[in-house]
């Protein structure tokens, strides 16, 4: 942990909200992208991020000395998303398609919808590895730290996810139902 981050962490642990905001504030946008990538629904991602920020505030004492706050916070976000996906209502409520922004050609919209449907079929641990590595562009070492598995397992999850996605993206719509 860098000296400035360590000082902010100590201040935040003592109850300084502005220090906490300085630590976690820059992580909110990528944390939301992680939550959205895992949950595929804007409202659910916002809720998960808000819960994760609350948990981070209450569990600042769990940050190990010398550790960076980023993987620790992203792990909390990912855990909150896993909890949301395990929840009873997650499987009852049909996910709404995210809002489309801009005027994209129709084929891009269709491919995006196909990809979102295929991503929803991935097991959570594979989806999490893909989102962290490709969507947030995190190095494998950090993905491993966030998911709390060895780098080899991260590579395996990414490989298996891509192998699972390839046939689905060329499959007819009935494969997703």
């Amino acid at each position: 942990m860098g000296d400035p981050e360590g000082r902010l962490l100590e201040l935040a642990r003592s109850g300084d909200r502005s220090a906490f905001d300085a630590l976690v504030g820059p992580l909110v946008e990528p944390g939301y992208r992680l939550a959205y990538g895992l949950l595929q629904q804007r409202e659910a991602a916002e809720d998960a991020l808000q819960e994760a920020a609350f948990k981070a505030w209450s569990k600042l004492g769990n940050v190990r000395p010398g550790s960076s706050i980023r993987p620790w916070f992203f792990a909390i976000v990912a855990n909150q998303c896993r909890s949301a996906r395990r929840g009873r209502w997650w499987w009852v409520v049909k996910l709404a398609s995210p809002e489309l922004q801009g005027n994209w050609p129709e084929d891009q919209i269709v491919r995006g919808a196909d990809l979102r449907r295929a991503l929803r079929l991935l097991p959570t641990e594979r989806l999490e590895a893909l989102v962290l590595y490709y969507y947030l562009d995190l190095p494998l070492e950090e993905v491993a730290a966030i998911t709390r598995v060895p780098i080899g397992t991260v590579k395996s999850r990414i490989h298996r996810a891509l192998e699972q996605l390839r046939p689905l993206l060329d499959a007819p719509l009935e494969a997703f139902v």
Side-chain angles (χ1 to χ4, degrees):
M1 178 169 4
D3 188 50
E5 187 176 90
R7 179 70 183 131
L8 284 173
L9 181 58
E10 288 307 314
L11 289 170
R13 283 180 175 161
S14 69
D16 185 337
R17 283 199 167 257
S18 62
F20 179 76
D21 289 345
L23 280 172
V24 176
L27 304 176
V28 168
E29 189 270 329
Y32 173 79
R33 289 185 10 228
L34 170 60
Y36 186 82
L38 294 174
L39 298 174
Q40 303 281 311
Q41 191 179 37
R42 184 180 54 81
E43 294 86 5
E46 289 169 354
D47 290 346
L49 183 63
Q50 184 174 2
E51 282 294 317
F54 177 74
K55 287 180 180 179
W57 172 253
S58 65
K59 297 183 183 289
L60 278 173
N62 293 349
V63 178
R64 284 184 250 144
S67 296
S68 174
I69 198 85
R70 186 166 87 164
W72 176 80
F73 181 71
F74 286 170
I76 294 173
V77 173
N79 286 336
Q80 190 62 38
C81 292
R82 279 193 292 274
S83 293
R85 287 178 61 111
R86 281 192 302 264
R88 172 183 137 97
W89 290 106
W90 183 259
W91 299 108
V92 174
V93 178
K94 182 167 175 71
L95 293 176
S97 296
E99 296 81 17
L100 298 174
Q101 297 177 353
N103 294 322
W104 292 2
E106 186 175 313
D107 61 329
Q108 285 183 315
I109 294 170
V110 170
R111 277 184 290 184
D114 289 346
L115 178 59
R116 284 188 297 278
R117 277 193 294 274
L119 288 171
R120 282 195 293 265
L121 296 175
L122 288 176
T124 301
E125 67 275 357
R126 291 180 187 174
L127 177 61
E128 186 177 82
L130 276 181
V131 169
L132 289 167
Y133 186 68
Y134 287 111
Y135 192 51
L136 292 183
D137 199 27
L138 297 178
L140 289 171
E141 296 78 15
E142 198 162 342
V143 175
I146 292 167
T147 58
R148 297 182 177 106
V149 297
I151 290 177
T153 302
V154 170
K155 289 178 182 178
S156 175
R157 287 177 180 177
I158 291 170
H159 174 76
R160 288 182 180 143
L162 294 174
E163 289 300 310
Q164 184 178 346
L165 288 174
R166 278 190 186 100
L168 292 175
L169 293 175
D170 292 330
L173 182 60
E174 295 78 37
F176 297 106
V177 183

